[in-house]
Amino acid sequence: MTLAETPNYKNSSNPFLTLNYESALESLGDDYYDEVAAAEFPQHILRWRNDALLPRLGLDPQAVTDEDFIIAFGKFQGRKPLLALRYHGYQFGEYNRQLGDGRGFLYGQVRASDGELYDFGTKGSGRTPYSRGGDGMLTLKGGVREVLAAEALHYLGVRTSRCLTMIETGLSLWRGDEPSPTRSSVMVRMSNSHIRFGTFERLHYLQRPDLTKKLLDHVIEQYYSHLSAQQDKYVLFYAELVERFAKLAAQWMAAGFCHAVLNTDNMSITGESFDYGPYAFIPTYDPYFTAAYFDYYRRYCYSHQPSICKLNLEMLQEPLKAFIDKGDLEAGLASFDEHYYAEYSSLMLRKIGFEQLPHLEANELVNLTVEFLQDSQVGYHQFFYEMARTFSSKWRDEPGFVLNNSDIVPVPGASAIFDNWCILYHKILNGLDCDRIDVIAQTLAEQNPKTVLLRPVIESTWEAIAQEDNWQPFYELVKQIQSRH
Ligand code: AMP
Ligand code: MG
């Protein structure tokens, strides 16, 4: 049955069913997906609606009821086909062909008011041909954690998918990594695309260059449309993908974020960050901080993120090499480091208060800051927040005034580097015009919110839900994140 033939679709008063759906992926043909049915749940309790996203869909939040969310994204009424996407991927370095949407599907693709095509992808909506031994479900805590991660990252300037809604579904689930039985949810993610590196890897594995080319053309047409008319569009696409991932890795690093599972099935072909499982924001600057308890060899630890992205991009060359010369692929990948360092440096500089500084000075300051954070083990986010909170024009007068009213206390072994940092910061401020001071204060405040999604913050928010079904701390936390407090 096509969408137009689906009962109630045309006459629906549910605003989610009358959006501008396009069947971009569906029209590629069924080599890329399987049609699936959604699970039926015993309960539907709307726990989260992301009203901030509705205007982008051309919807007025006031005009959308909770029931509209539940009908569309908890009961999945009125939309067909629901497509479980096929993909493979390298998981912790091992090729896995038993992947694919095992607990989700593509609910639909919508042309939003910004002109972009967005996927609504579910997580926790039931079993599919790719579920293997899994139950096809998402825990409520998993849903809460992904909502929080996506919002936090978005407001920290990371290019990320967002969660449109999360609905509690009334099942009891058993998980090894949560006290069980544990509650269930279904979440709908709004992302640029759910096409992954692993989608290409599967087609290469199946030795189907024809399907790879069709997908590549589709990706360029939809997500790199400015390249569509170029003669060397494939070469330019790969170079731009490298640039997008270099920037994304820099954004994660500056945000102090460890994604935790950078398998190639979690790498979006649009260069957008998505799929938040065991992620964590780093408490202190520890290059080897590892967020997933099952990442025994620290493969996806905090500081490995740029090199892992690069490695995944290199592995993506396999399916692409039928269409792009080896030299062009190598040249594309070789630009990763330059893009990465330029972006990281600029983001870190902004966290320290500066939009721009002369190159050498910028490098010196960023390097010394990172060195200090690593040596002192002062809280990564605390340091920047304290800068924002206590910044004063007095810091221009003497190095001793820099951060002197803050809660930053360097550990004994780090006092020399802290002093050096204060001296350098004072020197830079001192060389600037007075009228730059207000701009620095503003930049510091904008870049370094007080609310940080550290693990204890998430855990205490979750405990209120788990123990008393109290959702207030969760809503408060999202509100603080969204208002950049
Ligand atoms: P993830 O770790 O969420 O990126 O998932 C990796 C793979 O495992 C994907 O193919 C998922 O669809 C699948 N998967 C994860 N959890 C479940 C589950 N509870 N039931 C079925 N499949 C799952
Ligand atoms: Mg995944």
Side-chain angles (χ1 to χ4, degrees), residues 36-41 73-74 76 84 87 100-105 121-140 143 167 169 171-175 183-187:
V36 293
E40 284 179 26
F41 298 112
F73 303 126
F76 303 105
Y87 52 85
D101 282 342
R103 54 170 161 174
F105 48 72
T122 65
K123 191 171 183 179
S125 51
R127 290 177 54 81
T128 77
Y130 307 101
S131 302
R132 295 172 285 164
D135 56 9
M137 299 300 166
L138 173 67
T139 66
L140 186 62
I167 296 167
T169 49
L171 296 168
S172 292
L173 306 179
W174 293 84
R175 291 289 184 275
R183 291 151 73 177
S184 65
S185 69
V186 64
M187 187 266 285

Side-chain angles (χ1 to χ4, degrees), residues 455-471:
R455 270 189 174 151
V457 175
I458 302 180
E459 287 303 312
S460 71
T461 306
W462 170 248
E463 280 310 310
I465 296 169
Q467 297 190 1
E468 304 156 36
D469 205 24
N470 176 7
W471 286 78

Side-chain angles (χ1 to χ4, degrees), residues 87 196 265-266 274-275:
Y87 52 85
R196 305 135 197 268
D265 53 305
N266 286 341
F274 82 119
D275 207 354

Side-chain angles (χ1 to χ4, degrees), residues 255-274:
F257 180 74
C258 181
H259 179 287
V261 192
L262 295 180
N263 293 330
T264 59
D265 53 305
N266 286 341
M267 307 282 286
S268 162
I269 204 68
T270 65
E272 183 182 63
S273 170
F274 82 119

Side-chain angles (χ1 to χ4, degrees), residues 275-348:
D275 207 354
Y276 304 116
Y279 72 86
F281 283 84
I282 55 169
T284 57
Y285 193 100
D286 170 6
Y288 297 106
F289 175 89
T290 306
Y293 69 90
F294 48 83
D295 187 357
Y296 307 112
Y297 301 107
R298 300 186 182 276
R299 182 182 177 88
Y300 300 138
C301 71
Y302 172 65
S303 65
H304 286 179
Q305 297 183 109
S307 56
I308 283 290
C309 287
K310 207 172 157 185
L311 180 69
N312 288 341
L313 285 159
E314 187 178 346
M315 292 194 294
L316 185 67
Q317 292 184 355
E318 276 303 310
L320 298 181
K321 71 184 184 194
F323 317 101
I324 307 172
D325 284 346
K326 195 162 172 274
D328 289 326
L329 286 168
E330 282 169 5
L333 191 61
S335 69
F336 185 97
D337 293 6
E338 200 182 322
H339 290 305
Y340 173 76
Y341 286 115
E343 180 79 357
Y344 181 70
S345 175
S346 133
L347 293 174
M348 291 302 284

Side-chain angles (χ1 to χ4, degrees), residues 97-244:
R97 54 194 177 84
Q98 310 287 327
L99 294 174
D101 282 342
R103 54 170 161 174
F105 48 72
L106 180 65
Y107 172 90
Q109 296 182 285
V110 168
R111 185 69 58 184
S113 43
D114 58 9
E116 300 273 321
L117 187 66
Y118 288 96
D119 283 9
F120 292 160
T122 65
K123 191 171 183 179
S125 51
R127 290 177 54 81
T128 77
Y130 307 101
S131 302
R132 295 172 285 164
D135 56 9
M137 299 300 166
L138 173 67
T139 66
L140 186 62
K141 187 177 184 185
V144 163
R145 281 179 48 88
E146 177 147 350
V147 167
L148 291 173
E151 290 311 289
L153 289 174
H154 171 74
Y155 287 97
L156 286 169
V158 176
R159 187 163 164 227
T160 178
S161 66
R162 310 273 294 278
C163 298
L164 181 60
T165 180
M166 197 250 304
I167 296 167
E168 183 167 0
T169 49
L171 296 168
S172 292
L173 306 179
W174 293 84
R175 291 289 184 275
D177 52 4
E178 280 186 43
S180 297
T182 188
R183 291 151 73 177
S184 65
S185 69
V186 64
M187 187 266 285
V188 175
R189 186 190 287 144
M190 181 164 154
S191 86
N192 250 176
S193 167
H194 282 82
I195 299 172
R196 305 135 197 268
F197 288 17
T199 317
F200 283 88
E201 285 160 349
R202 170 179 165 270
L203 299 172
H204 182 67
Y205 179 90
L206 298 175
Q207 300 186 343
R208 294 296 303 270
D210 53 331
L211 297 180
T212 310
K213 184 169 184 305
K214 199 166 159 186
L215 187 66
L216 189 55
D217 286 335
H218 165 78
V219 164
I220 294 172
E221 184 191 326
Q222 291 297 343
Y223 309 110
Y224 296 78
S225 55
H226 53 288
L227 305 178
S228 286
Q230 304 283 338
Q231 224 183 352
D232 49 355
K233 63 179 179 179
Y234 298 145
V235 176
L236 296 173
F237 154 74
Y238 183 71
E240 185 166 331
L241 179 67
V242 168
E243 180 177 346
R244 289 188 192 188

